[in-house]
Amino acid sequence: MTTRIDKSKVRRHFDRHAGSYDQYAVVQRTMADRLLQLVLKRKAPKNVSRIIEIGCGTGLLTGKLLDAYPEASVLAIDLSPQMAERTRQRYGDMAAGRLETFVGDAEPPGNDDEKWALTEYGQADVIISSATFQWFDEPGRTMKAWLGRLKPDGLLAFATFGPQTFVELHEAFRAAERELGLSKMSHGQDFLSLAEWERLLVQSSGGLKQSFAFTGLEDMDVQTFADVRSFLYSVKRVGAGNANSDSRETQRAGRRLFAEMEKKYTERFAVNNGGIRATYHLLYGLFGAE
C-alpha cells in the first residue's frame, strides 16, 4: 500500500459508528456469508476446535461461526472497543463460554513480535477475517505472524476489497481534478489485487507452511444509491471513511473539488431508474493445507 493507515482514526471511526454499522453494512454482510460458505467446504465442523477472527466488528461473522462450528471456541479481535463490546453483548451469553473478545491491533507492533499481546494465544484450526485486511499497513509481516499461529493442517481465510472498489468515485475525482487544473491526489486506500495477496501469503509463509496452497475468487458487487452524498454517507456509517494519514491534501482542495466530483459522478454513473451506482470489488482467499 502506498500510504499509511491512521489506526487511531480507524478506531475512532468505528467506535463512533458502531451503533449504525449493521444498518448500513450490506456489502459486509454479503462478504461474511460468502466467506463462511467457502470455509465450510474446506473445514468440517468436527475438525475445528479453535477459531480466531480478525476484525469481528459487531459480530456479523462471529455469530455464524459459533453456529456453524458448535464445538469450537472463538477468539474475536477488533481494534475498536465499541465494536468488540457489541459482539460480546450479542453473543457472549449464547456462546456459553466459547467466545472471547480481545480489543487490540491485529498487526504486530514495530519489529518486535514478542511484545504483541496476541502472542500468548495458542494455535488455531481456522484464522478468518472479513472486511479487515484492507486496514493493514504491513500485510506481509502481519500475514507471517498469523500464519505462525495456524496449526499444521489449519486454514487462513479472508474476504477483503480489491483495487476496483469505488472505481466510479476515483474516476469522478480524476475528472474533477482535470477540470479544475489540479494535480492528482489520493482519495482513499490502494487495495491489493488477489494475485498480490496470493504472492504475499506464499512469501510470508516461508518454509513454515510448505504444504499450503492458495485458492481465491473475486466478484463485483454493484450497489445503487439515491445520489453521491447518500453513497458517501453510507460508507461513512460503516466506519470506512478515508483513514490515510495524508488525506488532509484532499481537505485542502476544499468544497470546489468535491462539488465538481459530485457533478462528474452523477453525469457519468447514473442508473436508468434514478440514482447512481457504486462498485465493490470483493476478494476471497483461502490459504491452507490441501
Side-chain angles (χ1 to χ4, degrees):
M1 297 183 182
T2 60
T3 53
R4 301 291 294 184
I5 301 296
D6 185 337
K7 293 295 184 71
S8 63
K9 190 173 183 179
V10 172
R11 184 184 299 108
R12 291 195 303 271
H13 279 178
F14 282 105
D15 275 346
R16 185 179 304 120
H17 299 297
S20 63
Y21 185 89
D22 289 355
Q23 179 182 350
Y24 293 93
V26 176
V27 174
Q28 288 79 4
R29 187 173 287 106
T30 296
M31 296 168 75
D33 290 344
R34 181 68 172 129
L35 181 60
L36 181 61
Q37 292 173 0
L38 295 171
V39 171
L40 282 168
K41 291 179 181 179
R42 287 282 296 271
K43 299 294 287 187
K46 65 179 181 179
N47 298 325
V48 176
S49 62
R50 178 70 165 164
I51 299 172
I52 297 177
E53 182 187 1
I54 301 172
C56 64
T58 60
L60 290 180
L61 178 58
T62 314
K64 299 177 188 296
L65 290 169
L66 290 165
D67 288 341
Y69 293 96
E71 302 302 318
S73 64
V74 176
L75 172 63
I77 303 164
D78 205 275
L79 182 66
S80 161
Q82 293 299 320
M83 287 289 196
E85 178 61 15
R86 283 187 173 270
T87 295
R88 188 194 66 78
Q89 290 180 351
R90 178 176 288 180
Y91 299 113
D93 291 340
M94 64 159 275
R98 294 193 296 125
L99 174 66
E100 181 180 359
T101 57
F102 179 92
V103 176
D105 195 344
E107 288 196 279
N111 295 315
D112 189 352
D113 291 1
E114 295 304 317
K115 294 182 179 180
W116 193 26
L118 289 163
T119 303
E120 65 186 71
Y121 290 92
Q123 291 187 313
D125 300 287
V126 174
I127 295 176
I128 189 168
S129 178
S130 185
T132 297
F133 276 19
Q134 69 275 6
W135 298 118
F136 290 156
D137 264 329
E138 299 182 68
R141 191 168 65 86
T142 302
M143 291 302 98
K144 182 177 181 180
W146 282 112
L147 288 172
R149 285 157 179 77
L150 268 182
K151 293 181 180 179
D153 61 346
L155 176 69
L156 186 148
F158 68 90
T160 191
F161 298 102
Q164 294 303 307
T165 296
F166 301 160
V167 62
E168 300 90 351
L169 179 65
H170 294 300
E171 288 188 20
F173 266 120
R174 297 293 176 262
E177 288 162 354
R178 289 192 296 269
E179 183 73 22
L180 298 175
L182 300 173
S183 60
K184 184 178 178 180
M185 303 178 193
S186 172
H187 300 286
Q189 294 164 251
D190 297 316
F191 298 123
L192 298 179
S193 68
L194 195 61
E196 287 172 321
W197 276 112
E198 177 179 8
R199 183 165 57 252
L200 184 149
L201 281 164
V202 171
Q203 292 174 347
S204 299
S205 65
L208 299 176
K209 308 291 181 183
Q210 294 181 356
S211 64
F212 276 28
F214 182 86
T215 303
L217 60 89
E218 50 194 309
D219 190 23
M220 296 292 184
D221 188 334
V222 180
Q223 298 286 315
T224 58
F225 298 87
D227 50 42
V228 176
R229 296 189 181 222
S230 297
F231 159 53
L232 295 177
Y233 181 79
S234 175
V235 172
K236 184 176 181 180
R237 297 302 290 187
V238 292
N242 184 2
N244 286 347
S245 58
D246 65 346
S247 63
R248 287 189 297 272
E249 181 184 10
T250 301
Q251 297 172 8
R252 288 197 298 268
R255 297 180 182 178
R256 189 160 160 250
L257 174 60
F258 183 88
E260 188 63 31
M261 178 280 294
E262 190 175 14
K263 177 183 175 183
K264 298 295 186 185
Y265 198 125
T266 304
E267 290 174 350
R268 297 181 179 210
F269 303 111
V271 293
N272 293 333
N273 59 345
I276 55 94
R277 74 173 192 261
T279 298
Y280 293 76
H281 185 191
L282 309 182
L283 308 182
Y284 301 90
L286 304 175
F287 190 63
E290 293 186 297

